Amino acid sequence: MKFIYGLSLAFAASATALEQQPLQHGDKQPNIVVILTDDQDLHMDSISYMPLLKKHIIDQGTFYKSHYCTTAICCPSRATIWTGRNAHNTNVTDVFPPYGGYPKFVAQGWNQNWLPLWLQDAGYSTFYTGKLFNAHTVENWNSPHPSGWTSSDFLLDPHTYQYLNATFQRNDRPPVSHEGEYSTDVLAEKAYGLLDEAVKLGAPFFLTAAPVAPHSDVNASTFVNPGTGEDLKGIIMQAPIPADRHKHLFPDVKIPRTANFNPDKPSGASWIKRLDKLSDTVIEYNDHFYRRRLQALQAVDELVEGLITRLEDYGILDNTYIIYSTDNGYHISQHRLNPGKECSFEEDINVPLIIRGPDVPIGETNIVSAHADLAPTILKIASAKWGWDGLDGSPIPLSEKELEASKRSRQEHVNVEFWGRGIPEGIYRFSLDDGKVVAYAPNNTYKSLRVISPSYNLQYTTDPGQLNNLYPTSNFLPEQTLLGLPLSKVLPRLDALLMVTKSCKAKTCVDPWSVIHPAGNVKTLGDALNPRFDGFYTEIAENVRFDKCELGYILESEGPQAAAVFQGDSGESEL
Ligand SMILES: *[C@@H]1O[C@H](CO)[C@@H](O)[C@H](O)[C@H]1NC(C)=O
Ligand SMILES: *[C@@H]1O[C@H](CO)[C@@H](O)[C@H](O)[C@H]1NC(C)=O
Ligand SMILES: *[C@@H]1O[C@H](CO)[C@@H](O)[C@H](O)[C@H]1NC(C)=O
Ligand SMILES: *[C@@H]1O[C@H](CO)[C@@H](O)[C@H](O)[C@H]1NC(C)=O
């Protein structure tokens, strides 16, 4: 039998509004509190060092263990969270202009089309304190002011990451320096003040507290725009600074020695594969860096308790959803990497997400979700009518019933994408196998795909430490198998899926298989592995590739865009 397939632009797929399904709740719309940390890991145990988070949120709600950020760096990730769109659709792909930062967010029109405005339309009052975006500065804070906030108090660059010299900017007032005060503690007081305001107003409210911990401390006096690459020589991203009261904690704790911790053999792809093994001196420093992160998180842990206690005292805790997450994950020494993020390894992309709320059961789940799902989740909690058009995610199941149903129906893929550089943090930079110390950040533009189901768990690797790259390279073993099938059968399916997800829009992000199999009979990789599609997948002419490695989303450099489409078993007659 001959299989015939045609081509269609993934872009052409319609961006119909997600169906809005209001929650069943009482007379009063629930309040929503988001606590968003910065660079917090799930894979180096940071959560286990936060007893108050455990007591008040983890032990009272659901831990979403397969939650992903899709672009592992602050500003693009935050743009995704607050617009409900992947970075290739916000085109906020970097932390600084020209490809990212607050000015790019504004230039793309998102300041007029994002979650706080949609929530205000739904009757909510909206509050925010802490870090919003990179390149939101003491210069541009009012040109324009972020829209949609009833009351706000933003951390501003270049002082955002200075734990002991933060600058905050409240409503329409000029920026105020907090030299000598501890950033997270200043933020906690502001969050409590905003909560008081919110309660006084009486409307249902949305409140975000976004401390910088456990991000590196960045000394503003040496801060330069990484958009120009080599200038990074001057940047010092040192270990985070804890509050004085926490500096003595965890003296003997070390980074978990997992299989991928400073491995004997190089791993990963591209520049990562060229990294030298880290020396004992570097590992000792990295362990110190790790402890500093855990210590810096203690003030966040106290903030969690502070918020919960106040919600309880106001008698509104039972009608409030609390969402705890972070913008992206973090690695220290895994795959021989010095402290940092921006990679597609689990350490960087699989991030904490914990939700407690009126109908959220206590427990944990492995259903797949991503940051683009947070805006739809919040819109659904708020019974919002506006904002649903063009969202790349779908509401995360919250109730027992929804969680159960989603086991059968929810997507199993996460689109992972990055443009720009891999930036080493800490005092040591990267050292490559040729002995060259890389004082700047290497090009790190890539696309990847994460696929998870009860019977498979893939990202072009299958081992838990992600040490073995399955993608055909010079040492590719043709006899290697995956899911009991030859690699040559599975990889074309993954490539075809990636061809869709890398440029998906709205519905096609949620159900990318529908682009390849418009008949609607393929919903998962498992379905696509049906031998009746073997011919179709082996004949696909073009794989995902870049024509040029750019630092931003330049369509002309992004290689083929057209996804292959299966026309049916009797394809000839359909042409
Ligand atoms: C703290 O920030 C202010 C600006 O807000 C600046 O004038 C001052 O020099 C900074 N202090 C230190 C120690 O960096
Ligand atoms: C930043 O670095 C400069 C130069 O090394 C130093 O003088 C200054 O004290 C540092 N500031 C902070 C807030 O760490
Ligand atoms: C990194 O990307 C920039 C911009 O595309 C390019 O000019 C430069 O040659 C690249 N460097 C390497 C080492 O590939
Ligand atoms: C994304 O933004 C950059 C910088 O403004 C621009 O050059 C590029 O064409 C944009 N990409 C898309 C796909 O619109």
Side-chain angles (χ1 to χ4, degrees):
M1 189 182 297
K2 253 173 98 183
F3 299 111
I4 297 183
Y5 55 88
L7 299 171
S8 82
L9 274 184
F11 269 73
S14 76
T16 42
L18 279 170
E19 207 182 324
Q20 185 208 342
Q21 316 139 291
L23 275 187
Q24 297 302 312
H25 49 67
D27 300 342
K28 200 167 174 327
Q29 287 160 289
N31 310 303
I32 303 158
V33 173
V34 176
I35 301 163
L36 188 69
T37 57
D38 197 328
D39 288 2
Q40 184 168 8
D41 63 90
L42 179 62
H43 285 259
M44 293 186 296
D45 279 354
S46 66
I47 295 288
S48 331
Y49 294 87
M50 300 182 73
L52 301 173
L53 174 68
K54 176 167 162 47
K55 175 176 168 195
H56 296 296
I57 304 189
I58 299 174
D59 288 352
Q60 309 294 329
T62 293
F63 202 142
Y64 295 80
K65 296 270 177 156
S66 297
H67 183 75
Y68 286 83
C69 81
T70 49
T71 304
I73 191 165
C74 322
C75 187
S77 190
R78 286 159 191 260
T80 291
I81 292 173
W82 302 130
T83 64
R85 286 156 171 88
N86 289 323
H88 69 256
N89 287 331
T90 63
N91 203 9
V92 178
T93 59
D94 198 356
V95 287
F96 288 96
Y99 300 120
Y102 179 61
K104 179 67 166 159
F105 181 85
V106 171
Q108 291 291 125
W110 299 121
N111 195 36
Q112 300 311 321
N113 187 20
W114 64 323
L115 187 67
L117 289 171
W118 305 330
L119 287 172
Q120 285 189 337
D121 178 74
Y124 275 66
S125 56
T126 54
F127 303 85
Y128 197 105
T129 183
K131 173 181 163 185
L132 186 63
F133 296 119
N134 304 78
H136 179 209
T137 74
V138 292
E139 307 284 335
N140 70 13
W141 61 273
N142 207 18
S143 52
H145 199 267
S147 64
W149 301 105
T150 308
S151 197
S152 60
D153 214 328
F154 300 114
L155 272 167
L156 294 182
D157 277 356
H159 306 288
T160 305
Y161 303 113
Q162 285 192 293
Y163 282 80
L164 295 173
N165 196 21
T167 293
F168 280 87
Q169 188 280 311
R170 177 163 167 74
N171 295 338
D172 56 357
R173 295 178 215 160
V176 175
S177 168
H178 289 263
E179 186 163 351
E181 296 175 68
Y182 190 62
S183 175
T184 311
D185 292 346
V186 176
L187 180 141
E189 288 307 317
K190 291 180 180 297
Y192 305 151
L194 292 177
L195 179 59
D196 294 340
E197 262 183 73
V199 172
K200 207 174 278 169
L201 275 177
F205 64 83
F206 172 81
L207 164 67
T208 293
V212 292
H215 192 285
S216 300
D217 181 81
V218 181
N219 185 333
S221 74
T222 57
F223 204 79
V224 285
N225 184 338
T228 52
E230 276 63 20
D231 287 350
L232 269 171
K233 271 178 243 149
I235 214 173
I236 299 176
M237 296 177 80
Q238 57 201 3
I241 301 173
D244 281 340
R245 63 186 181 280
H246 300 133
K247 280 186 170 154
H248 65 287
L249 293 171
F250 322 124
D252 303 319
V253 169
K254 291 181 171 177
I255 304 163
R257 268 36 177 185
T258 46
N260 58 10
F261 178 86
N262 200 23
D264 289 335
K265 281 199 232 151
S267 54
S270 184
W271 57 273
I272 300 169
K273 209 169 177 153
R274 291 184 60 214
L275 293 172
D276 272 340
K277 201 172 174 197
L278 303 171
S279 70
D280 291 350
T281 312
V282 174
I283 293 295
E284 199 177 315
Y285 171 78
N286 285 355
D287 279 330
H288 156 80
F289 195 109
Y290 175 70
R291 283 188 292 275
R292 284 298 196 210
R293 285 168 52 86
L294 301 181
Q295 292 162 355
L297 280 168
Q298 299 313 299
V300 177
D301 209 30
E302 294 170 359
L303 163 68
V304 168
E305 178 157 88
L307 283 170
I308 297 281
T309 308
R310 283 165 178 80
L311 289 165
E312 199 160 26
D313 290 349
Y314 276 124
I316 54 177
L317 182 58
D318 288 347
N319 194 36
T320 301
Y321 285 86
I322 299 153
I323 301 175
Y324 185 95
S325 193
T326 191
D327 45 11
N328 51 261
Y330 209 72
H331 57 247
I332 313 178
S333 313
Q334 295 81 18
H335 304 277
R336 305 179 170 185
L337 288 157
N338 265 326
K341 54 256 184 185
E342 294 124 10
C343 297
S344 66
F345 297 119
E346 287 293 90
E347 284 78 5
D348 294 20
I349 59 172
N350 182 204
V351 295
L353 172 69
I354 309 139
I355 305 180
R356 75 167 277 181
D359 54 353
V360 182
I362 295 166
E364 59 178 64
T365 177
N366 282 315
I367 65 133
V368 177
S369 58
H371 272 353
D373 297 324
L374 289 174
T377 307
I378 292 166
L379 287 178
K380 186 177 168 195
I381 291 172
S383 304
K385 291 195 172 55
W386 189 35
W388 292 92
D389 279 358
L391 297 184
D392 293 339
S394 61
I396 296 169
L398 296 174
S399 67
E400 191 97 57
K401 206 171 127 204
E402 290 172 341
L403 280 161
E404 195 49 43
S406 74
K407 280 186 196 156
R408 291 181 301 277
S409 60
R410 198 166 173 88
Q411 71 204 54
E412 54 174 26
H413 67 275
V414 180
N415 172 53
V416 179
E417 54 193 8
F418 198 88
W419 298 260
R421 298 176 180 279
I423 302 171
E425 302 179 20
I427 57 173
Y428 297 100
R429 301 303 169 104
F430 294 142
S431 164
L432 298 186
D433 54 10
D434 54 10
K436 201 169 112 198
V437 173
V438 185
Y440 64 95
N443 287 356
N444 189 45
T445 295
Y446 62 78
K447 297 185 190 303
S448 190
L449 178 69
R450 195 73 182 77
V451 186
I452 303 164
S453 86
S455 44
Y456 41 84
N457 191 339
L458 305 172
Q459 187 176 22
Y460 295 105
T461 60
T462 50
D463 60 308
Q466 299 187 297
L467 292 166
N468 302 317
N469 187 2
L470 293 177
Y471 205 80
T473 56
S474 47
N475 56 4
F476 172 53
L477 304 171
E479 70 273 20
Q480 227 170 329
T481 60
L482 186 55
L483 313 174
L485 295 165
L487 270 187
S488 57
K489 287 224 188 302
V490 184
L491 288 179
R493 265 84 169 177
L494 292 177
D495 285 344
L497 180 61
L498 180 60
M499 186 72 90
V500 179
T501 56
K502 79 186 179 81
S503 46
C504 66
K505 264 192 159 57
K507 251 180 105 111
T508 62
C509 294
V510 178
D511 186 10
W513 290 110
S514 69
V515 176
I516 309 170
H517 293 274
N521 54 343
V522 172
K523 294 285 172 205
T524 65
L525 175 64
D527 296 343
L529 281 167
N530 188 320
R532 75 179 258 247
F533 304 127
D534 282 355
F536 166 69
Y537 280 102
T538 44
E539 279 172 38
I540 289 177
E542 296 211 279
N543 284 338
V544 174
R545 64 157 204 274
F546 289 95
D547 290 329
K548 206 163 154 235
C549 186
E550 305 270 8
L551 297 176
Y553 183 32
I554 311 297
L555 206 51
E556 307 86 85
S557 305
E558 297 250 333
Q561 297 293 319
V565 176
F566 181 71
Q567 302 284 14
D569 296 321
S570 51
E572 277 129 322
S573 61
E574 288 171 37
L575 282 182

